[in-house]
Amino acid sequence: GDYVFVDVAYVIGESQIMKTEGKALDEKGKKLEKKLADGEKNIQAEAKQLEEKYQKGLITTRGAQEKEQELQKRAASLQSAAQKEGKELEEENIVFQNRLNDLIMRAIQDINADKKYKMVFNASALVDAVDALDISNDVLAKINELYAAEKTEKK
């Protein structure tokens, strides 16, 4: 029992923090991508309609130019807003990853507080190991316990 390992990817994937806050961040990112894609489609569709109106002589050159400038401003505004929201989401993701890493380290430190393990390895670097050396479920349980305690403290 001097050496043990943790399957960190498994622990992260199964943790309550990932299933709640991680999932929420992922959904937020997907909504942002969809919002940007939908906005770009709408602007492209309006540009196409404008071109068709101009080709048919239903709008003056000046009117077409004004409308095109308006569409360009809307496209720039959309890009700017998306970049701003993207940076905010990126920052939220960094904070989330830092919290998750902190929980993992605290969980391992709590489990090994008595120093019964000389080394704790990340399973991603292992080639082969006996299953009895796997403390992933213990780490997962401790992370969920620490996360629940954090949530209780915030309330």
Side-chain angles (χ1 to χ4, degrees), residues 12-14 22 30 37 42 44 51 61 90 97 105 112-113 115 118 120 124 127-129 135-136 140 147 151:
I12 290 171
E14 294 300 314
K30 288 177 183 175
N42 290 340
Q44 288 172 355
E51 179 66 27
T61 300
E90 184 179 332
Q97 286 298 322
M105 291 308 299
N112 199 29
K115 303 291 185 208
K118 289 181 183 172
V120 179
S124 66
V127 176
D128 190 28
I135 62 167
S136 300
L140 176 60
Y147 178 60
K151 285 174 56 177

Side-chain angles (χ1 to χ4, degrees), residues 28-44 74-86:
K28 195 173 184 180
K30 288 177 183 175
K31 284 180 184 177
L32 179 59
E33 287 176 15
K34 184 177 180 346
K35 178 181 170 183
L36 179 60
D38 289 348
E40 287 175 345
K41 278 184 194 175
N42 290 340
I43 290 170
Q44 288 172 355
R74 283 181 39 212
S77 177
L78 177 68
Q79 284 293 330
S80 177
Q83 284 178 342
K84 181 182 175 196
E85 289 180 49

Side-chain angles (χ1 to χ4, degrees), residues 58-118:
L58 301 174
I59 190 170
T60 65
T61 300
R62 182 177 178 161
Q65 288 172 341
E66 289 172 356
K67 186 73 173 161
E68 184 178 1
Q69 286 177 346
E70 178 190 318
L71 288 173
Q72 288 173 349
K73 285 180 184 177
R74 283 181 39 212
S77 177
L78 177 68
Q79 284 293 330
S80 177
Q83 284 178 342
K84 181 182 175 196
E85 289 180 49
K87 284 181 181 178
E88 290 171 2
L89 184 61
E90 184 179 332
E91 188 176 337
E92 286 180 51
N93 272 309
I94 290 169
V95 169
F96 174 74
Q97 286 298 322
N98 289 340
R99 285 182 57 221
L100 192 54
N101 290 338
D102 181 63
L103 282 171
I104 291 168
M105 291 308 299
R106 286 180 19 219
I108 292 170
Q109 288 168 352
D110 283 1
I111 289 169
N112 199 29
D114 60 0
K115 303 291 185 208
K116 66 181 170 184
Y117 306 124
K118 289 181 183 172

